[in-house]
Amino acid sequence: MFDIHYHLLFGLDDGPKTIEDSLKLAEASIAEGVTHIVCTPHANERFPFQPERNREKLALLNEQLGGRVTLGLGCDFHLSHENIEELKSNRTKYTINGTKYLLAELSDFGVPHSLSKTLDHLTRMGIVPIITHPERNPTLVADPSRIAEWIGFGCLIQITAGSLLGRFGKRAESMSHHLLKHGWVHFVASDAHSIDGRPPSMAPAHDVLKRRYGRETADRLSLHNPRAAFLGEALPDAASNSHGGKSRKAGLLDWVLRRLGRRP
């Protein structure tokens, strides 16, 4: 499996504090069958994003892990004005392994009215925003319609492995399955922070996906799509992301038409 959202680098944000903590997380992921991890420290007002320091931490982990897992670099990108302006001039600073894919972090408390305009602008720049954990955002849980709009722009959606396991509450778990059933999920990632509080849990999440939506969907969301993002490739042309065999575009179109009252 490929895990594209992971706070593995120590001493940078609210993830692991020491290299020993990072190594415990990495060992847990290796034991689950994860072969590739994108290390994604926060880039926000609280945690300054320093690429050179990140590379130094990653080199130390690589030395200790001996090539048993392949590590990449990205960030948990806060959609602030300052970050976006920097992204315009230096897009590879923040994207996954310097590719076109960017993890876009939403606030835990709401969704700005200007966000759709911002995301549309990013896609026109050639960036592919990956909206992280919308199932944990109370505004989107109450009204998921904006997610359909963002997918229409070309954004992709990542839900958290722990949400599928009920670790972020029943509402986040229910929202995860709502998005899955509509075919609005492109990635499952751990967003791991610590062994005790926010463990990786990719294997049990894969089991939930396989049991409820089939092996093809489970592999697409935790292996094939994240592999493409890791390598900077186009996502595979999957037949379906939704339960029941509808394509992602068909599921989105159905939902929009129902909202407009043009389809029962």
Side-chain angles (χ1 to χ4, degrees):
M1 290 180 287
F2 284 63
D3 192 346
I4 63 167
H5 186 176
Y6 203 129
H7 295 264
L8 183 63
L9 301 181
F10 59 97
L12 296 178
D13 57 13
D14 55 347
K17 301 306 178 188
T18 67
I19 190 170
E20 290 78 15
D21 294 334
S22 292
L23 291 172
K24 288 177 184 177
L25 277 169
E27 293 292 352
S29 289
I30 292 169
E32 287 189 329
V34 173
T35 61
H36 294 69
I37 293 172
V38 184
C39 302
T40 56
H42 286 289
N44 58 26
E45 300 87 352
R46 182 181 173 193
F47 301 112
F49 187 74
Q50 301 171 305
E52 187 56 40
R53 190 178 181 205
N54 298 343
R55 286 190 287 270
E56 291 172 359
K57 303 274 187 178
L58 184 136
L60 290 171
L61 288 181
N62 272 329
E63 183 179 346
Q64 293 292 319
L65 291 167
R68 292 182 297 123
V69 62
T70 300
L71 302 181
L73 277 174
C75 76
D76 208 353
F77 185 84
H78 183 68
L79 291 162
S80 65
H81 175 75
E82 293 77 14
N83 276 359
I84 292 168
E85 288 301 308
E86 176 69 14
L87 182 67
K88 291 178 182 178
S89 60
N90 188 7
R91 60 185 283 177
T92 62
K93 176 179 178 179
Y94 297 106
T95 56
I96 293 175
N97 293 327
T99 68
K100 62 184 178 180
Y101 295 101
L102 176 75
L103 292 185
E105 180 187 29
L106 303 182
S107 166
D108 289 335
F109 305 105
V111 178
H113 290 293
S114 61
L115 183 58
S116 292
K117 183 178 179 180
T118 298
L119 293 172
D120 187 33
H121 179 66
L122 291 179
T123 61
R124 293 177 187 275
M125 289 170 51
I127 298 291
V128 180
I130 300 174
I131 308 299
T132 63
H133 48 71
E135 81 282 0
R136 290 157 45 193
N137 183 289
T139 300
L140 295 176
V141 170
D143 178 13
S145 62
R146 298 187 73 179
I147 296 174
E149 180 184 22
W150 300 336
I151 294 173
F153 293 156
C155 297
L156 304 174
I157 304 298
Q158 174 253 305
I159 62 172
T160 314
S163 294
L164 291 170
L165 306 173
R167 291 180 180 163
F168 292 91
K170 289 295 183 183
R171 294 186 73 188
E173 183 180 8
S174 177
M175 178 65 165
S176 296
H177 290 290
H178 174 82
L179 297 174
L180 285 160
K181 289 172 183 176
H182 280 77
W184 294 355
V185 178
H186 305 88
F187 308 94
V188 171
S190 70
D191 193 10
H193 282 63
S194 66
I195 284 291
D196 296 326
R198 298 269 291 275
S201 305
M202 287 291 285
H206 184 274
D207 289 342
V208 170
L209 289 169
K210 183 170 62 174
R211 183 173 67 252
R212 295 193 59 168
Y213 305 99
R215 179 63 179 261
E216 181 185 353
T217 294
D219 286 351
R220 180 167 61 252
L221 303 185
S222 60
L223 174 58
H224 303 309
N225 285 356
R227 178 186 182 278
F230 192 97
L231 298 176
E233 300 173 349
L235 265 59
D237 186 17
S240 169
N241 255 349
S242 63
H243 186 59
K246 290 183 180 179
S247 70
R248 291 192 299 274
K249 290 183 179 178
L252 175 59
L253 179 60
D254 284 349
W255 186 90
V256 172
L257 290 175
R258 284 196 297 272
R259 293 284 290 190
L260 294 174
R262 297 177 185 172
R263 182 169 293 179

